[in-house]
Amino acid sequence: MKYVMLIYETPEDFEARDAAGGEPYVAAWRAYYRALVDAGVFVGGGGPLAGPDAATTVQVKANRRHVQDGPFAVAKDQLGGFMILELASHDDALAWAARCPAAATGAVEVRPMNVALHRTIVEADA
Amino acid sequence: MPDVDRAAEAVARAEYGRLRAFLASEYGDVHDAEDALGEALLAALTSWPDTGIPNEPAAWLLTVARHRLLDRARRRGVRDGHAHAVRTLGAEAPAPAPALDETFPDRRVELLFVCAHPAIDAELHAPLMLQAVLGLTAARIAQAFLVSPAAMGQRLVRAKKRIREAGIAFQVPSAGELPARLGSVLEAIYGAYGLGHDAPAGLDAPGTDLTDEALWLARVVRDRMPEQPEVRGLLALMLFCDARRDARHSPDGRYVPLSEQDPATWSAPKIDEAEAELAEAARAGRIGRFQLEAAIQSAHVEGARSGDTDWGAIALFYDHLVRLAPTIGARVAQAAAVAEAAAPERGLALLDALDESAVGTYQPYWAVRAHLLRLLERGPEASVAYGRAIGLTEDPAVRRFLLDRQNEAPAPVEIGMPRTPSG
């Protein structure tokens, strides 16, 4: 069985991750990542996401597109999975999000990856 | 109080584009003109309840907005040493109640030419027009163009800055420049309709929810340049598409392709208006891309009504169109028409000739390809093509339609044959 870990962080943690004073939190992440790799259970992952303020949510309802800045937040709909796509631009990402079957019934949230943070966590381990 | 709100709103709606276009052309700055007009509207809402609604509300707004622009230019002049704008504006200091006809000419078409200027990124031509002339918000425009609202807002601000910095003139281009520049304006209006340059001409296209706005813009240009046949051609094309919009979905929400639509469900007044515009355009004797596309639509309407579509004529129109404007949409639609007029193999050959990189994510290509492969009873290939089309489809009704087609697309040769474990 494979499991996907979906990580929900507090606004404080989001702020701490990129700030100079966030070292304890990021260090804990390095240790956690290391433990996962050492245990041989780490299969793969997208690395940390940029914060919710970088999110854009796309829905197509009754043939009308709805695009909103910010994460999708409706209690009824649940996160059903995630994909990582390599695309040239944010506009392209929204185009693919609109084509996703889930966009017509639920929502697809698009977020750029926080590549720099991912590197500091993964490279520290290398 | 609500009366005043309503009056201000009514003026804003009726005169907004003209006021904005006039102020922007007078001042050479779309962004500042928008701000000043917004401030003038706010001033109206606060002072009209006390003073009453002026006799010429638009002139009142214009006067206030000009004062704001003058203040702004003075401040900017002090800061940046740009005395020129101050002089220009100061020379025509606003009269308390200017006679509308003299001081307030319609400069909306000039503003459209500015928005579709070659110095501005072509992708922003339509969004700029929708904001500058119609006053649509960046968020609303972003919905239609499937862009992040914040990103659209930033792009529009940058484009308006570029208009000012590049000193783009608010004028109708000279005769030599006009065909190309007008082409950009029409292309952008077409883009606002949701049928940009890569739309499947002649196939059934969904359009954005800005179709009324696009038709309105086309009429503004037509009224000002009635002698330009391509303007009428574009208006006719959009009216034909609009007339069939509601027929694309059955009452239970299913997608209905053009070939299965009931002509009785189309809007007859829109078709009549389209035919009239097309006939008027033809009198100029100068064929163009939009007139050809409108003629194709006209042939489809005629065919559906008579039950006998002249695919030979449609294929011929496409032949001309592809020579004039070899867009991917026109070439895919040409393949569909040739398949109907001659044979599916001929249509498929045209599709095969297209550059693979241009069609990879182009849904109509895969939908037409799947359809032709199905006609040729090449089931497995048709199924693959349907799969590509389904994966690229945004409209859930179209997705369901294609899924149904894919399911009923087994090739006769496969019937009764054992299934291989890993196709």
Side-chain angles (χ1 to χ4, degrees), chain A residues 63-67 69 91, chain B residues 143-144 150 155 209 249 394:
Chain A
N63 266 335
R64 275 193 63 167
R65 295 150 162 185
H66 297 262
V67 186
D69 286 315
D91 291 0
Chain B
Q143 310 294 319
R155 288 175 205 177
D209 53 357
H249 293 93
E394 201 179 309

Side-chain angles (χ1 to χ4, degrees), chain B residues 119-168:
Chain B
I120 309 287
D121 181 359
E123 278 188 15
L124 286 174
H125 289 175
L128 260 180
M129 287 177 174
L130 291 164
Q131 184 163 76
V133 181
L134 291 172
L136 265 56
T137 63
R140 171 105 163 75
I141 296 166
Q143 310 294 319
F145 289 90
L146 197 57
V147 168
S148 145
M152 181 57 83
Q154 285 165 5
R155 288 175 205 177
L156 286 169
V157 167
R158 276 201 298 270
K160 283 179 235 170
K161 201 165 158 232
R162 175 112 184 96
I163 290 171
R164 185 177 70 219
E165 288 173 356
I168 296 171

Side-chain angles (χ1 to χ4, degrees), chain B residues 257 259-260 371 374 386 400-410:
Chain B
S259 59
E260 291 168 25
H371 177 63
R374 183 164 166 266
Y386 274 120
R400 202 169 51 183
F401 169 84
L402 291 170
L403 277 164
D404 288 347
R405 281 285 159 97
Q406 188 185 34
N407 287 334
E408 64 189 50

Side-chain angles (χ1 to χ4, degrees), chain B residues 90-416:
Chain B
E92 36 183 325
L100 268 188
D101 292 345
E102 288 167 39
T103 60
F104 186 29
D106 186 355
R107 308 292 304 275
R108 287 175 300 181
V109 168
E110 284 82 351
L111 183 53
L112 289 175
F113 275 107
V114 167
C115 293
H117 193 274
I120 309 287
D121 181 359
E123 278 188 15
L124 286 174
H125 289 175
L128 260 180
M129 287 177 174
L130 291 164
Q131 184 163 76
V133 181
L134 291 172
L136 265 56
T137 63
R140 171 105 163 75
I141 296 166
Q143 310 294 319
F145 289 90
L146 197 57
V147 168
S148 145
M152 181 57 83
Q154 285 165 5
R155 288 175 205 177
L156 286 169
V157 167
R158 276 201 298 270
K160 283 179 235 170
K161 201 165 158 232
R162 175 112 184 96
I163 290 171
R164 185 177 70 219
E165 288 173 356
I168 296 171
F170 281 71
Q171 60 194 25
V172 171
S174 59
E177 263 191 303
L178 189 63
R181 294 285 309 280
L182 184 60
S184 298
V185 170
L186 300 182
E187 187 74 52
I189 294 173
Y190 197 39
Y193 189 89
L195 303 168
H197 66 282
D198 63 353
L203 298 183
D204 219 20
T208 64
D209 53 357
L210 297 175
T211 51
D212 289 342
E213 283 81 358
L215 283 166
W216 194 89
L217 288 174
R219 288 198 172 99
V220 166
V221 182
R222 190 260 332 256
D223 292 347
R224 180 75 177 277
M225 309 181 133
E227 75 292 350
Q228 293 291 336
E230 277 293 270
V231 180
R232 291 184 187 275
L234 172 63
L235 184 54
L237 171 60
M238 294 194 297
L239 283 165
F240 276 127
C241 295
D242 222 45
R244 294 201 311 257
R245 231 148 75 86
D246 293 342
R248 291 182 75 248
H249 293 93
S250 66
D252 64 347
R254 294 201 158 258
Y255 170 69
V256 186
L258 175 56
S259 59
E260 291 168 25
Q261 287 171 14
D262 175 6
T265 60
W266 297 346
S267 161
K270 280 178 185 164
I271 288 174
D272 291 346
E273 192 188 349
E275 296 286 6
E277 289 294 341
L278 186 57
E280 187 62 35
R283 286 174 43 167
R286 280 178 284 142
I287 196 67
R289 176 234 163 138
F290 290 116
Q291 291 171 80
L292 273 169
E293 293 200 41
I296 289 164
Q297 296 301 317
S298 177
H300 276 301
V301 167
E302 177 55 35
R305 280 177 171 172
S306 69
D308 180 21
T309 300
D310 186 352
W311 284 104
I314 292 174
L316 208 63
F317 282 141
Y318 273 118
D319 192 48
H320 280 286
L321 179 61
V322 163
R323 259 180 262 164
L324 274 182
T327 62
I328 193 74
R331 295 183 67 181
V332 168
Q334 179 190 27
V338 167
E340 292 279 358
E345 294 91 330
R346 296 270 310 278
L348 197 60
L350 287 175
L351 290 181
D352 285 338
L354 295 177
D355 182 9
E356 212 169 304
S357 66
V359 298
T361 57
Y362 188 58
Q363 192 267 9
Y365 169 88
W366 293 101
V368 170
R369 186 174 187 86
H371 177 63
L372 299 186
L373 287 166
R374 183 164 166 266
L375 292 178
L376 292 168
E377 302 192 337
R378 287 161 65 173
E381 289 167 272
S383 185
V384 169
Y386 274 120
R388 289 287 289 268
I390 292 160
L392 294 168
T393 298
E394 201 179 309
D395 181 343
V398 173
R399 191 183 296 129
R400 202 169 51 183
F401 169 84
L402 291 170
L403 277 164
D404 288 347
R405 281 285 159 97
Q406 188 185 34
N407 287 334
E408 64 189 50
V413 290
E414 265 193 344
I415 292 170

